[in-house]
Amino acid sequence: MTATAPSRVPAGATAEGDGILVGRGPVRVDLFIDFLCPFCRRFELASGETLAELAASGRASLAYHPMNILDLASTTNYSTRATAASGCAADQGRFVEYAHALFVGQPHEGGPGLSDAELVDLAAVAGLAGPEFAACAASGPYLDWAPYVTARASQAGVGGTPTVLIAGADVSPEPEAITAAAAQAARQQGLA
């Protein structure tokens, strides 16, 4: 799978443009997710607070890589559409909140997923106010971003979601494992 650069990347994108960077901590935590993946939903609900704490405390920077590997598990390319909408949320500094709302309101695989209007409605749950989000979602500037993120992840050997890499090492997507691996990475970097 070739990674064709998207026409535009969201605000807060990683240097490679293949994810959204949250926090400025020295330990890098890469999170490969798909907004239609039920295991990713469980991961978010179980680990979201732990991840937020790592970023807020300055111990880690989180790189969220929203992929579209489950597009074929919906009738409307839901993973791509949800990822594109998450890019619009990133432009307003609310990626994490919007991603959480997407997982809480996650549709079942095999159907159409949430409609474009429902994706816009979730913006209010994520604290996005005003017409900017709706205008961005309607114009679809990030529809070519999800295939790029997915291609880059595939090239890096990521074969499924959720995948968590801490300082480049594969870690079980569970709060305790993430916390322990982040602490170990900090020690190895001489930060703890």
Side-chain angles (χ1 to χ4, degrees):
M1 182 181 280
T2 304
T4 302
S7 57
R8 184 171 151 192
V9 296
T14 60
E16 306 81 14
D18 64 351
I20 300 298
L21 200 57
V22 177
R24 304 234 184 269
V27 174
R28 171 95 172 232
V29 179
D30 287 280
L31 308 155
F32 297 87
I33 57 173
D34 187 312
F35 292 119
L36 190 56
C37 164
F39 299 106
C40 296
R41 180 182 191 276
R42 277 188 243 153
F43 168 64
E44 166 63 22
L45 297 180
S47 302
E49 287 182 29
T50 298
L51 294 168
E53 205 314 282
L54 284 171
S57 70
R59 292 181 289 168
S61 55
L62 311 175
Y64 287 89
H65 305 273
M67 300 170 66
N68 69 347
I69 58 175
L70 290 176
D71 262 356
L72 296 179
S74 82
T75 58
T76 64
N77 294 325
Y78 176 74
S79 295
T80 292
R81 293 185 305 105
T83 292
S86 77
C88 294
D91 283 350
Q92 295 185 35
R94 305 293 290 181
F95 175 85
V96 171
E97 296 84 355
Y98 189 72
H100 182 76
L102 284 170
F103 283 125
V104 169
Q106 185 182 71
H108 296 289
E109 289 182 53
L114 300 177
S115 69
D116 290 344
E118 290 169 318
L119 288 171
V120 169
D121 289 345
L122 280 179
V125 175
L128 293 159
E132 296 87 3
F133 180 85
C136 178
S139 66
Y142 302 120
L143 289 170
D144 63 349
W145 182 52
Y148 173 73
V149 172
T150 303
R152 295 254 321 156
S154 291
Q155 290 170 350
V158 174
T161 57
T163 294
V164 178
L165 301 177
I166 297 184
D170 197 5
V171 174
S172 178
E174 299 167 358
E176 299 81 14
I178 291 168
T179 300
Q184 179 182 359
R187 283 191 300 277
Q188 289 173 341
Q189 294 177 21
L191 303 169

